[in-house]
Amino acid sequence: ANNIKVVDASWLIANGTVGNCVEKTFIDKDGLAYAMPAKNDPIVNSLNTMLGGATLNADEFSKISVVIKTSDISKVAGMQSKIYFANDTVKLSEANTVKTTWPSTASADGTVTLTFNMKSNAAWAGEMTVVRFDPFDFVTDFSVVSITFAP
């Protein structure tokens, strides 16, 4: 099935959790899901639960796209973003990631779309019990506009 699922900022503000940030949840800032890291390596937890279940079927979704913005893209340009994943067979580790690189410029509205080709890692298969987004390894604010799961 060609199911594209989008989790928007309002859902993230109500339900999303973050790690290594000042707050443990997103804050509504101008309608976006805003977070301020307390230290390097902020994380967006539990992408696996965003579609309403405890797991995420990797076979249904080969791409994850995150529309995100930061107040100063020059601080994170060229840095890698990662999606970590785990299931009953594979555990969270650097080997079980898919990476993409921040561009040096944002669109006119200040956003960047980071797209992760999940099938580029052969371990992306079965029911994922943990799917986590690490936007960058730096201390700067970020706002998530949406997260899209696509076949």
Side-chain angles (χ1 to χ4, degrees):
N2 253 355
N3 275 343
I4 295 176
K5 307 284 186 186
V6 179
V7 176
D8 65 10
S10 63
W11 188 96
L12 290 167
I13 292 163
N15 305 290
T17 60
V18 291
N20 296 338
C21 291
V22 175
E23 304 287 337
K24 293 188 183 342
T25 58
F26 283 105
I27 297 165
D28 184 342
K29 185 173 179 183
D30 302 322
L32 300 179
Y34 174 85
M36 182 64 202
K39 59 183 180 178
N40 277 354
D41 199 22
I43 60 176
V44 178
N45 295 309
S46 305
L47 273 64
N48 52 296
T49 64
M50 289 183 179
L51 303 181
T55 63
L56 179 69
N57 185 335
D59 301 326
E60 288 183 37
F61 302 104
S62 64
K63 289 198 182 340
I64 299 175
S65 297
V66 180
V67 179
I68 189 170
K69 65 191 309 184
T70 183
S71 59
D72 186 354
I73 194 167
S74 69
K75 292 180 180 177
V76 296
M79 285 192 178
Q80 288 193 321
S81 282
K82 300 175 188 175
I83 300 273
Y84 283 82
F85 57 88
N87 61 27
D88 292 338
T89 308
V90 299
K91 303 302 173 205
L92 285 180
S93 70
E94 285 296 320
N96 298 320
T97 63
V98 174
K99 301 171 186 169
T100 195
T101 302
W102 275 78
S104 56
T105 58
S107 62
D109 65 359
T111 62
V112 167
T113 300
L114 301 172
T115 301
F116 300 87
N117 177 6
M118 301 309 294
K119 295 289 186 184
S120 68
N121 188 317
W124 178 257
E127 294 292 326
M128 293 298 157
T129 54
V130 179
V131 183
R132 185 182 93 193
F133 170 57
D134 289 27
F136 38 71
D137 191 10
F138 195 73
V139 179
T140 192
D141 67 319
F142 65 97
S143 296
V144 178
V145 178
S146 65
I147 300 172
T148 301
F149 303 85

